[in-house]
Amino acid sequence: MTSIDTTAITVELPDAFDPRWNRLPGIQVDGRRITIDPSEYFFRFESSTWLVADWKLVKAQLLDVDETTESAVEQLALDFIKNHGDSTSDAARVLATAYGVYTYLFREEHLAGLGLPQITADHLRMLREAATLMALNKVELDGRISNVGPCWFFPAATSVVFDLDDATGGMLDEVYHGGWFNEHRRIESIKAHAALGSRLVHGCQSVPDQSGGVVAPYGASMANFRDDLAEFKAGWIEQVYAHRVTAAE
């Protein structure tokens, strides 16, 4: 068997993360510096390689390209990944790339046109942080989910870290996986996610299902993905909620 590198992952990002991430096992946040112990943080960690593309290159060569009747936005992203994708075992690079992607996707200029007045700039910060950590999750081409961390279960993780009630956590989950309910932003999301080598897919169809999502490669078996997720999610969601801080604490 191939051994998986479980060396601690350390990255320094442009902005400080909420220190309450320290409530989850295996992650330590100290301002802009994040350290993750894969053996403690992940429920399943079978792959220490990820596909990424340079975020600066995505911004320069893909974000402003329009789809045509001959080339849909998904094809544009797929071609870009084929030409510029790079397999890396540097998890810090993955996190840094993801933070660039989600800083762009969840930027405050969208708030005015979102049509959800209850979503604030602080909520966008939560989305940026959680989505960045979710980039370490991974699905293989055969549909097996090889890496699963607590942020897979978005409402559960955000309730623990940000003290959100279930309704608010669910609302943020909808904003995250719904592409902000807007075709323009969906297209924007597909192109931006090329930097993470894939596209965003979800196992759920509604908030209560809490089946989470992942940046999955084009061509991955969604049937196997669904079946694998169904087998493990309930127990792991319960483990995430176990770290919730109660009022008495």
Side-chain angles (χ1 to χ4, degrees):
M1 292 180 63
T2 302
S3 61
I4 301 300
D5 185 2
T6 56
T7 303
I9 299 163
T10 302
V11 64
E12 191 161 305
L13 297 174
D15 302 298
F17 269 40
D18 194 303
R20 290 174 292 179
W21 282 107
N22 295 320
R23 294 173 176 175
L24 294 173
I27 181 168
Q28 182 178 354
V29 170
D30 182 11
R32 297 190 296 119
R33 186 180 181 86
I34 299 170
T35 303
I36 294 173
D37 179 348
S39 62
E40 292 187 18
Y41 176 77
F42 289 97
F43 296 115
R44 182 189 288 172
F45 190 62
E46 300 176 349
S47 176
S48 55
T49 62
W50 295 266
L51 185 63
V52 295
D54 185 83
W55 173 236
K56 291 182 179 179
L57 197 64
V58 172
K59 289 193 292 184
Q61 297 189 13
L62 184 60
L63 292 187
D64 292 331
V65 177
D66 294 326
E67 65 179 349
T68 68
T69 54
E70 289 80 26
S71 184
V73 64
E74 291 84 357
Q75 188 62 51
L76 292 173
L78 184 59
D79 290 344
F80 188 93
I81 293 165
K82 286 181 177 178
N83 292 328
H84 303 290
D86 178 34
S87 179
T88 182
S89 58
D90 183 356
R93 178 183 174 192
V94 178
L95 291 170
T97 300
Y99 192 71
V101 169
Y102 294 114
T103 297
Y104 168 73
L105 289 176
F106 298 120
R107 58 197 190 275
E108 291 184 22
E109 71 181 66
H110 277 322
L111 284 174
L114 181 59
L116 293 172
Q118 65 271 42
I119 296 289
T120 67
D122 197 41
H123 289 136
L124 296 189
R125 177 186 59 80
M126 298 176 190
L127 284 163
R128 289 192 292 268
E129 293 181 11
T132 295
L133 295 171
M134 288 176 73
L136 296 178
N137 295 328
K138 189 179 178 186
V139 172
E140 305 300 325
L141 281 172
D142 65 3
R144 177 167 173 81
I145 303 167
S146 50
N147 293 348
V148 184
C151 283
W152 184 290
F153 310 106
F154 190 95
T158 53
S159 75
V160 170
V161 174
F162 301 118
D163 300 308
L164 301 181
D165 59 34
D166 290 342
T168 306
M171 176 184 67
L172 285 189
D173 191 36
E174 288 284 14
V175 172
Y176 173 67
H177 76 65
W180 290 36
F181 317 100
N182 179 295
E183 176 63 10
H184 172 74
R185 286 187 288 268
R186 187 191 73 86
I187 290 173
E188 190 175 79
S189 175
I190 289 170
K191 290 191 284 189
H193 277 103
L196 296 174
S198 316
R199 90 283 197 196
L200 189 66
V201 301
H202 287 267
C204 52
Q205 62 187 18
S206 62
V207 167
D209 190 48
Q210 197 170 169
S211 292
V214 67
V215 180
Y218 290 96
S221 170
M222 289 295 101
N224 290 345
F225 165 80
R226 175 199 60 208
D227 294 344
D228 193 17
L229 179 59
E231 287 187 15
F232 66 67
K233 72 171 187 176
W236 290 349
I237 290 172
E238 185 178 349
Q239 289 185 53
V240 177
Y241 275 127
H243 298 284
R244 204 170 192 172
V245 176
T246 65
E249 296 176 83

